[in-house]
Amino acid sequence: MSDETPTQVNPETMDVRTALKRGIAELRDANVPSYTLATELLLLHVLGRDRAWLYAHPEDILPGLDAHRFLSLILRRAAGEPTQYITGTQEFWGLELEVTPDVLIPRPETEHVIEVALDRLALREIRAGRKQTLTGDGLNVIDIGTGSGCIAIALAKELPSAHITATDISPAALVVAKRNAARHGVRDRIAFLEMNLTGGMAGKYHLIVSNPPYIGRNEKDTLMREVRDHEPELALYGGEEGYEIYADLISRAARNVLPGGLLVLELGHNSLPAVQPLLESPHWTKVSVTNDLAGIPRVIAAERA
Ligand SMILES: C[S@@+](CC[C@H](N)C(=O)[O-])C[C@H]1O[C@@H](n2cnc3c(N)ncnc32)[C@H](O)[C@@H]1O
């Protein structure tokens, strides 16, 4: 793909190659990160095709109103709207999820929460001398702050016999999460509850997972416009510093997890120093910290003593 900016073209006769060039040029000029990928995704979305088709048909004229639709999506992306909110989807743990501006766009780092949860559950089984095929039989799991439902749904797929509860303070997020659960055939396996963290629940869980809001309001000006201006504030900010929500979350977890049960939390890029001491208490043991691919401490896990 050449870097030259195409001259003004007639949308009625725009071919695939020209559409890609024009989109790339506009998004590059608007300082959109990964502008080539974003252009491809928006064109694929409009055409309902896959990437192989796109590059096999560079001279095909975009049919009907598709060129106009594509150019209007490019304008929205250039103005800062995230690609995923425009296309309405994001992949997580190999599952295509619906995303709307009511939910955080699931991030790849959050897949480490699933990995750590499954690894720690498997270790517990091995230590207890039980069979190592982990189906989640008899396990009660809760995902606090479920958003799109990504963690709860991934765990429901991985642990087909587990009972799963998912909470969120946002009723609008829960609507999306329920649709995602239905889309992946696990709606009847997940109880979705609107509440502040765990509300007044006295539930006893074998596994508590959460990716809580952990950005500090004092960091707001440093965020990318895509995040700051488009993702839900409820999903972003954990307090002025960001880590404030963890204290409440961890003390509720201590009341709601069974002895020997697990707590697995995603961490913000600078949350570890504030969060680790909260787990250095007689309530918790076997604390582990897992880095993400960028080397940032991303997941903290502990067992109820
Ligand atoms: C960082 S997002 C995580 C969403 C999803 N679990 C993910 O990993 O993509 C945090 C979620 O917690 C919810 N939330 C914020 N404060 C909450 C609270 N006090 N109780 C329950 N949920 C809360 C937000 O609405 C949002 O959906």
Side-chain angles (χ1 to χ4, degrees):
M1 184 67 55
S2 129
D3 255 7
E4 86 204 40
T5 306
T7 49
Q8 210 58 31
V9 284
N10 178 0
E12 312 300 329
T13 57
M14 186 185 275
D15 65 22
V16 165
R17 180 188 289 121
T18 311
L20 283 170
K21 277 189 178 177
R22 168 115 175 237
I24 288 169
E26 294 205 6
L27 296 190
R28 188 186 51 213
D29 290 351
N31 294 319
V32 168
S34 309
Y35 47 81
T36 303
L37 178 63
T39 305
E40 288 176 355
L41 289 172
L42 293 177
L43 189 54
L44 295 174
H45 175 66
V46 166
L47 297 176
R49 301 282 190 174
D50 61 22
R51 187 172 273 120
W53 183 91
L54 208 59
Y55 286 96
H57 297 83
E59 280 149 26
D60 278 24
I61 304 293
L62 270 54
L65 293 174
D66 284 358
H68 290 284
R69 280 186 64 211
F70 170 66
L71 293 176
S72 74
L73 301 191
I74 287 288
L75 278 182
R76 284 168 61 186
R77 184 66 194 91
E81 198 173 336
T83 307
Q84 295 91 332
Y85 288 153
I86 300 175
T87 62
T89 58
Q90 170 65 30
E91 193 180 299
F92 180 84
W93 201 254
L95 305 164
E96 189 177 85
L97 298 177
E98 174 190 344
V99 290
T100 74
D102 288 321
V103 300
L104 190 90
I105 299 165
R107 305 295 205 268
E109 304 87 271
T110 302
E111 295 191 354
H112 293 302
V113 171
I114 313 289
E115 286 164 3
V116 171
L118 294 176
D119 284 354
R120 295 282 303 240
L121 282 174
L123 260 180
R124 254 181 28 141
E125 294 300 287
I126 292 167
R127 280 207 309 263
R130 289 190 287 262
K131 66 178 166 46
Q132 287 171 41
T133 42
L134 199 59
T135 63
D137 197 16
L139 286 188
N140 283 322
V141 177
I142 183 166
D143 170 26
I144 302 171
T146 198
S148 62
C150 57
I151 297 176
I153 294 166
L155 288 174
K157 297 297 266 185
E158 293 294 331
L159 302 169
S161 304
H163 296 281
I164 299 187
T165 302
T167 74
D168 206 291
I169 203 166
S170 159
L174 287 169
V175 171
V176 178
K178 286 177 192 173
R179 277 204 297 267
N180 276 323
R183 182 181 190 141
H184 291 289
V186 292
R187 176 65 191 89
D188 58 347
R189 300 215 8 250
I190 306 177
F192 289 99
L193 305 174
E194 180 190 333
M195 58 178 58
N196 179 4
L197 300 177
T198 52
M201 278 201 299
K204 287 294 177 204
Y205 295 94
H206 300 90
L207 170 65
I208 297 181
V209 287
S210 183
N211 172 19
Y214 53 58
I215 299 173
R217 285 196 178 273
N218 59 13
E219 294 176 82
K220 187 170 182 176
D221 293 341
T222 66
L223 298 179
M224 287 169 60
R225 61 183 176 150
E226 282 81 356
V227 177
R228 187 193 54 225
D229 300 341
H230 294 275
E231 297 204 74
E233 294 216 342
L234 266 178
L236 297 178
Y237 304 112
E240 191 54 26
E241 301 297 329
Y243 49 73
E244 291 89 335
I245 198 167
Y246 287 97
D248 200 6
L249 191 51
I250 289 171
S251 68
R252 283 165 189 257
R255 292 196 295 275
N256 284 299
V257 76
L258 289 161
L262 297 168
L263 172 64
V264 181
L265 299 175
E266 180 163 329
L267 297 169
H269 69 98
N270 55 4
S271 321
L272 185 65
V275 178
Q276 196 157 17
L278 300 171
L279 292 168
E280 284 161 3
S281 87
H283 293 321
W284 299 103
T285 175
K286 302 193 176 78
V287 177
S288 68
V289 176
T290 305
N291 289 355
D292 64 18
L293 299 178
I296 296 168
R298 188 55 72 188
V299 179
I300 192 159
E303 192 171 306
R304 184 71 163 94

